[in-house]
Amino acid sequence: MVSRGTVAAIVFAVVLVMSGGCTGLGDDGDETESGPESDGNGAAQDGVDPADDGGSGSDESSSTTEGSTESNETGDEGTVDSDELNEEEAAEEKDEATNESEDTAVSSEGEGETNGQDDDGVDEDDAAEGETMNEPDDQETSDETAQTADVTAFEESLRDEGIDVSSVEQEGDTLSLGYETSRTDEEVVEAEGAIVAGSYADLTGEGYGSERLEATIYHATTGERIADYHIESEWAEQYNDGEISSAEYEERVTATIDTHV
């Protein structure tokens, strides 16, 4: 049976052998070649391991990258927040602009309605004035047409009575008559003057507006002026109203005859 002392000695020896191998000592107690290497390795282990240094560098790079990433993320978040703020501000400005445009449009519509009413009123007034101004023009045109028709009827009535009419013209308030004759004796001139006076009385009775008729007699062959005379419209009206007789009316006319032969 092995005693406890023997076991203790064996264990001690084993520990010594293992300790010598770990420290690189040879049998003579000198350092083996592995010693320095072990010291180097140890020193490397005790110091900063290059690999570990690289790892530390990697860790620092990683930290830097992470920091940059975080910074970028923070920057992105800041940018996003800034963009969101800008979008919100733009949206608010757009809403304000839209509201202002709507207010302006409403105001413009109101003004347009007011102006439209005013314009309508002006247009109606203008139209009324235009109609009022056109009415006299239309009346004048109608009167001129009627007078032209009356003059034409007057000329036809003279021709029917044997008067050779050369011209009939309205000059202001005076109706000018020119006719030709081949006889120049006083009796014929007065007789033809009586015919003209009768026709002018009829014309005045129809409402033709003139103050007097001026007649000029020309020689039918030579064209020479033979005589002139006139008839006042007042005389014709008096005759039509029966205030004077036909003889008195003719006498007033023949009294104005001025012969040139």
Side-chain angles (χ1 to χ4, degrees), residues 10 95 138 170 176 195 199 205 241 259:
I10 294 170
D95 292 338
D138 295 339
Q170 178 72 35
S176 298
I195 294 173
S199 295
D241 294 338
T259 60

mmCIF file with all atom_site columns, all heavy atoms in Angstrom, residues 10 95 138 170 176 195 199 205 241 259:
data_model
loop_
_atom_site.group_PDB
_atom_site.id
_atom_site.type_symbol
_atom_site.label_atom_id
_atom_site.label_alt_id
_atom_site.label_comp_id
_atom_site.label_asym_id
_atom_site.label_entity_id
_atom_site.label_seq_id
_atom_site.pdbx_PDB_ins_code
_atom_site.Cartn_x
_atom_site.Cartn_y
_atom_site.Cartn_z
_atom_site.occupancy
_atom_site.B_iso_or_equiv
_atom_site.pdbx_formal_charge
_atom_site.auth_seq_id
_atom_site.auth_comp_id
_atom_site.auth_asym_id
_atom_site.auth_atom_id
_atom_site.pdbx_PDB_model_num
ATOM 1  N N   . ILE A 1 10  ? 5.468    12.238  -5.503   1.00 0.00 ? 10  ILE A N   1
ATOM 2  C CA  . ILE A 1 10  ? 5.220    12.069  -6.943   1.00 0.00 ? 10  ILE A CA  1
ATOM 3  C C   . ILE A 1 10  ? 4.541    13.296  -7.497   1.00 0.00 ? 10  ILE A C   1
ATOM 4  O O   . ILE A 1 10  ? 4.888    13.816  -8.576   1.00 0.00 ? 10  ILE A O   1
ATOM 5  C CB  . ILE A 1 10  ? 4.392    10.794  -7.197   1.00 0.00 ? 10  ILE A CB  1
ATOM 6  C CG1 . ILE A 1 10  ? 5.183    9.577   -6.819   1.00 0.00 ? 10  ILE A CG1 1
ATOM 7  C CG2 . ILE A 1 10  ? 3.927    10.713  -8.640   1.00 0.00 ? 10  ILE A CG2 1
ATOM 8  C CD1 . ILE A 1 10  ? 4.386    8.246   -6.801   1.00 0.00 ? 10  ILE A CD1 1
ATOM 9  N N   . ASP A 1 95  ? -52.098  77.502  -48.645  1.00 0.00 ? 95  ASP A N   1
ATOM 10 C CA  . ASP A 1 95  ? -53.459  77.691  -48.153  1.00 0.00 ? 95  ASP A CA  1
ATOM 11 C C   . ASP A 1 95  ? -53.785  79.164  -48.018  1.00 0.00 ? 95  ASP A C   1
ATOM 12 O O   . ASP A 1 95  ? -54.872  79.623  -48.380  1.00 0.00 ? 95  ASP A O   1
ATOM 13 C CB  . ASP A 1 95  ? -53.630  76.982  -46.797  1.00 0.00 ? 95  ASP A CB  1
ATOM 14 C CG  . ASP A 1 95  ? -53.552  75.453  -46.938  1.00 0.00 ? 95  ASP A CG  1
ATOM 15 O OD1 . ASP A 1 95  ? -53.795  74.972  -48.067  1.00 0.00 ? 95  ASP A OD1 1
ATOM 16 O OD2 . ASP A 1 95  ? -53.255  74.771  -45.939  1.00 0.00 ? 95  ASP A OD2 1
ATOM 17 N N   . ASP A 1 138 ? -85.460  109.179 -87.338  1.00 0.00 ? 138 ASP A N   1
ATOM 18 C CA  . ASP A 1 138 ? -86.432  108.397 -88.095  1.00 0.00 ? 138 ASP A CA  1
ATOM 19 C C   . ASP A 1 138 ? -87.585  109.279 -88.544  1.00 0.00 ? 138 ASP A C   1
ATOM 20 O O   . ASP A 1 138 ? -88.094  109.141 -89.659  1.00 0.00 ? 138 ASP A O   1
ATOM 21 C CB  . ASP A 1 138 ? -86.947  107.233 -87.247  1.00 0.00 ? 138 ASP A CB  1
ATOM 22 C CG  . ASP A 1 138 ? -85.844  106.233 -86.918  1.00 0.00 ? 138 ASP A CG  1
ATOM 23 O OD1 . ASP A 1 138 ? -84.835  106.223 -87.651  1.00 0.00 ? 138 ASP A OD1 1
ATOM 24 O OD2 . ASP A 1 138 ? -85.991  105.470 -85.948  1.00 0.00 ? 138 ASP A OD2 1
ATOM 25 N N   . GLN A 1 170 ? -86.385  121.565 -103.163 1.00 0.00 ? 170 GLN A N   1
ATOM 26 C CA  . GLN A 1 170 ? -86.613  122.174 -101.854 1.00 0.00 ? 170 GLN A CA  1
ATOM 27 C C   . GLN A 1 170 ? -85.299  122.768 -101.373 1.00 0.00 ? 170 GLN A C   1
ATOM 28 O O   . GLN A 1 170 ? -84.315  122.061 -101.192 1.00 0.00 ? 170 GLN A O   1
ATOM 29 C CB  . GLN A 1 170 ? -87.107  121.119 -100.855 1.00 0.00 ? 170 GLN A CB  1
ATOM 30 C CG  . GLN A 1 170 ? -87.340  121.636 -99.454  1.00 0.00 ? 170 GLN A CG  1
ATOM 31 C CD  . GLN A 1 170 ? -88.574  122.529 -99.348  1.00 0.00 ? 170 GLN A CD  1
ATOM 32 O OE1 . GLN A 1 170 ? -89.576  122.312 -100.018 1.00 0.00 ? 170 GLN A OE1 1
ATOM 33 N NE2 . GLN A 1 170 ? -88.484  123.544 -98.505  1.00 0.00 ? 170 GLN A NE2 1
ATOM 34 N N   . SER A 1 176 ? -88.496  125.660 -104.812 1.00 0.00 ? 176 SER A N   1
ATOM 35 C CA  . SER A 1 176 ? -88.146  126.344 -106.069 1.00 0.00 ? 176 SER A CA  1
ATOM 36 C C   . SER A 1 176 ? -88.724  125.567 -107.245 1.00 0.00 ? 176 SER A C   1
ATOM 37 O O   . SER A 1 176 ? -88.549  124.349 -107.336 1.00 0.00 ? 176 SER A O   1
ATOM 38 C CB  . SER A 1 176 ? -86.627  126.446 -106.206 1.00 0.00 ? 176 SER A CB  1
ATOM 39 O OG  . SER A 1 176 ? -86.092  127.224 -105.143 1.00 0.00 ? 176 SER A OG  1
ATOM 40 N N   . ILE A 1 195 ? -102.496 128.621 -112.414 1.00 0.00 ? 195 ILE A N   1
ATOM 41 C CA  . ILE A 1 195 ? -102.469 127.154 -112.334 1.00 0.00 ? 195 ILE A CA  1
ATOM 42 C C   . ILE A 1 195 ? -101.478 126.699 -111.252 1.00 0.00 ? 195 ILE A C   1
ATOM 43 O O   . ILE A 1 195 ? -101.774 125.811 -110.448 1.00 0.00 ? 195 ILE A O   1
ATOM 44 C CB  . ILE A 1 195 ? -102.099 126.561 -113.699 1.00 0.00 ? 195 ILE A CB  1
ATOM 45 C CG1 . ILE A 1 195 ? -103.199 126.853 -114.719 1.00 0.00 ? 195 ILE A CG1 1
ATOM 46 C CG2 . ILE A 1 195 ? -101.850 125.073 -113.580 1.00 0.00 ? 195 ILE A CG2 1
ATOM 47 C CD1 . ILE A 1 195 ? -102.852 126.452 -116.148 1.00 0.00 ? 195 ILE A CD1 1
ATOM 48 N N   . SER A 1 199 ? -102.188 124.524 -107.642 1.00 0.00 ? 199 SER A N   1
ATOM 49 C CA  . SER A 1 199 ? -101.498 123.278 -107.272 1.00 0.00 ? 199 SER A CA  1
ATOM 50 C C   . SER A 1 199 ? -100.717 123.438 -105.961 1.00 0.00 ? 199 SER A C   1
ATOM 51 O O   . SER A 1 199 ? -100.646 122.516 -105.134 1.00 0.00 ? 199 SER A O   1
ATOM 52 C CB  . SER A 1 199 ? -100.540 122.856 -108.387 1.00 0.00 ? 199 SER A CB  1
ATOM 53 O OG  . SER A 1 199 ? -101.250 122.539 -109.554 1.00 0.00 ? 199 SER A OG  1
ATOM 54 N N   . GLY A 1 205 ? -102.142 122.198 -98.455  1.00 0.00 ? 205 GLY A N   1
ATOM 55 C CA  . GLY A 1 205 ? -103.256 121.551 -97.756  1.00 0.00 ? 205 GLY A CA  1
ATOM 56 C C   . GLY A 1 205 ? -102.919 120.118 -97.349  1.00 0.00 ? 205 GLY A C   1
ATOM 57 O O   . GLY A 1 205 ? -103.495 119.590 -96.394  1.00 0.00 ? 205 GLY A O   1
ATOM 58 N N   . ASP A 1 241 ? -108.486 127.667 -96.168  1.00 0.00 ? 241 ASP A N   1
ATOM 59 C CA  . ASP A 1 241 ? -109.388 127.845 -95.019  1.00 0.00 ? 241 ASP A CA  1
ATOM 60 C C   . ASP A 1 241 ? -110.618 128.681 -95.371  1.00 0.00 ? 241 ASP A C   1
ATOM 61 O O   . ASP A 1 241 ? -111.508 128.888 -94.515  1.00 0.00 ? 241 ASP A O   1
ATOM 62 C CB  . ASP A 1 241 ? -108.643 128.522 -93.858  1.00 0.00 ? 241 ASP A CB  1
ATOM 63 C CG  . ASP A 1 241 ? -107.531 127.627 -93.298  1.00 0.00 ? 241 ASP A CG  1
ATOM 64 O OD1 . ASP A 1 241 ? -107.601 126.382 -93.482  1.00 0.00 ? 241 ASP A OD1 1
ATOM 65 O OD2 . ASP A 1 241 ? -106.587 128.177 -92.675  1.00 0.00 ? 241 ASP A OD2 1
ATOM 66 N N   . THR A 1 259 ? -91.514  140.486 -114.998 1.00 0.00 ? 259 THR A N   1
ATOM 67 C CA  . THR A 1 259 ? -91.158  140.048 -116.347 1.00 0.00 ? 259 THR A CA  1
ATOM 68 C C   . THR A 1 259 ? -89.824  140.619 -116.757 1.00 0.00 ? 259 THR A C   1
ATOM 69 O O   . THR A 1 259 ? -89.403  141.695 -116.292 1.00 0.00 ? 259 THR A O   1
ATOM 70 C CB  . THR A 1 259 ? -92.242  140.475 -117.352 1.00 0.00 ? 259 THR A CB  1
ATOM 71 O OG1 . THR A 1 259 ? -92.354  141.916 -117.331 1.00 0.00 ? 259 THR A OG1 1
ATOM 72 C CG2 . THR A 1 259 ? -93.582  139.855 -117.015 1.00 0.00 ? 259 THR A CG2 1
#
